[in-house]
Amino acid sequence: MQLQGATALVTGANRGIGQHFAVELLRRGAKVYATARRPELVDIPGAEVLRVDITDPASVDAAAAVATDVDVLINNAAFTAGGNLVSGELHAIREVMDSNYYGTLAMIRAFAPILARNGGGAILNVLSAAAWTTVDGNTAYAAAKSAQWGLTNGVRVELAGQGTHVAALVPGLVATETLKDFAENAGIVFRDGVMNEPADIARLALDGLEAGQVEILDQMATDAKASLAGPPRALDLAAVAV
Ligand SMILES: NC(=O)c1ccc[n+]([C@@H]2O[C@H](COP(=O)([O-])OP(=O)(O)OC[C@H]3O[C@@H](n4cnc5c(N)ncnc54)[C@H](OP(=O)(O)O)[C@@H]3O)[C@@H](O)[C@H]2O)c1
């Protein structure tokens, strides 16, 4: 997928990895719809800004009515603070599932016909190595990411006929404010080099998309996927901490 001259839509582009996706896509010569629940927070020169809450069907439909030239959909937005499944707050567990699974699905259902009309194009879903392990303290998030992996694989099969390439970015740890806050609250100091910089992970993802890869993994995700051949295990945060 050639990004020069493409038209991309990024969800959750006001901060974190999504903001870096939008900036890097512009740098590669794409037109970019930088979308956010709070568009007033998007500060990306050259991007077209749209309000999109991926869990609000009217908002998703309104974006699809405007952004009819999209041929690359980057499903990055997610609520990540799900907490634990048994002891956590049910509303947070629902919110993490609503955004990661149903929100991503809503975007795909709204934009699949647009991608088809524009020649097939590509979808990139942002998953997590947590999908292939679990994380004590955030097992709800890990479960939602597992569901999003299944969703990604299903959609890939369904949209192959219309020529849409469906890819997954699967990072381990990315040094966004959200992850840094999580680490601080949990009293974790990560070892040097364990976290990816958000700009680096956006570049890795877009290199992979341009190369036609189906799954784009960093080292932690590569290890997590390999571990699926053995008994289920949780991510050992102590092993990546100082
Ligand atoms: N950081 C990591 O270590 C890491 C590792 C693996 C995977 N990931 C994945 O990478 C993606 C981005 O993570 P991040 O660390 O950049 O997160 P972040 O900094 O917390 O940003 C999350 C973004 O998603 C948006 N969002 C949340 N719910 C939304 C909704 N219903 N509709 C539209 N936008 C919504 C947020 O908007 P508001 O500003 O309005 O809240 C924000 O823009 C997520 O899918 C995450 O699971 C992150």
Side-chain angles (χ1 to χ4, degrees):
M1 175 86 211
Q2 171 75 258
L3 293 172
Q4 164 82 43
T7 300
L9 185 147
V10 182
T11 60
N14 54 305
R15 60 190 173 104
I17 301 169
Q19 182 173 7
H20 288 276
F21 264 125
V23 169
E24 182 62 19
L25 282 158
L26 285 164
R27 203 189 63 74
R28 293 182 190 218
K31 173 180 169 182
V32 175
Y33 292 101
T35 76
R37 288 192 284 202
R38 294 168 295 166
E40 66 277 13
L41 298 184
V42 179
D43 181 18
I44 305 174
E48 301 213 8
V49 180
L50 288 180
R51 197 192 87 79
V52 179
D53 179 337
I54 62 170
T55 62
D56 172 1
S59 162
V60 171
D61 288 348
V66 172
T68 54
D69 51 349
V70 166
D71 56 8
V72 178
L73 172 63
I74 312 270
N75 285 311
N76 162 80
F79 176 67
T80 59
N84 269 350
L85 285 161
V86 179
S87 56
E89 299 287 343
L90 201 51
H91 72 85
I93 295 167
R94 285 195 196 283
E95 194 177 343
V96 83
M97 196 64 157
D98 270 350
S99 59
N100 282 283
Y101 185 79
Y102 289 108
T104 300
L105 181 58
M107 289 298 293
I108 291 170
R109 288 171 63 103
F111 278 88
I114 292 172
L115 297 174
R117 282 197 295 276
N118 294 332
I123 297 172
L124 178 72
N125 290 343
V126 181
L127 310 182
S128 166
W132 295 329
T133 56
T134 192
V135 184
D136 194 11
N138 208 358
T139 55
Y141 170 70
K145 287 299 191 190
S146 298
Q148 202 186 20
W149 182 45
L151 177 160
T152 303
N153 294 335
V155 164
R156 180 178 303 116
V157 169
E158 289 187 49
L159 298 186
Q162 70 172 42
T164 301
H165 176 73
V166 178
L169 168 66
V170 194
L173 301 171
V174 186
T176 59
E177 293 310 313
T178 297
L179 180 69
K180 288 192 260 183
D181 288 349
F182 167 80
E184 195 176 322
N185 291 335
I188 300 167
V189 179
F190 290 118
R191 277 194 282 112
D192 284 350
V194 170
M195 288 191 290
N196 300 286
E197 287 305 317
D200 293 342
I201 209 75
R203 276 196 294 274
L204 179 81
L206 297 180
D207 287 349
L209 197 61
E210 291 201 299
Q213 290 177 24
V214 169
E215 280 183 347
I216 303 150
L217 318 186
D218 67 3
Q219 190 56 51
M220 191 177 281
T222 303
D223 295 344
K225 193 165 192 195
S227 79
L228 291 175
R233 65 177 180 88
L235 178 67
D236 184 1
L237 284 171
V240 290
V242 171

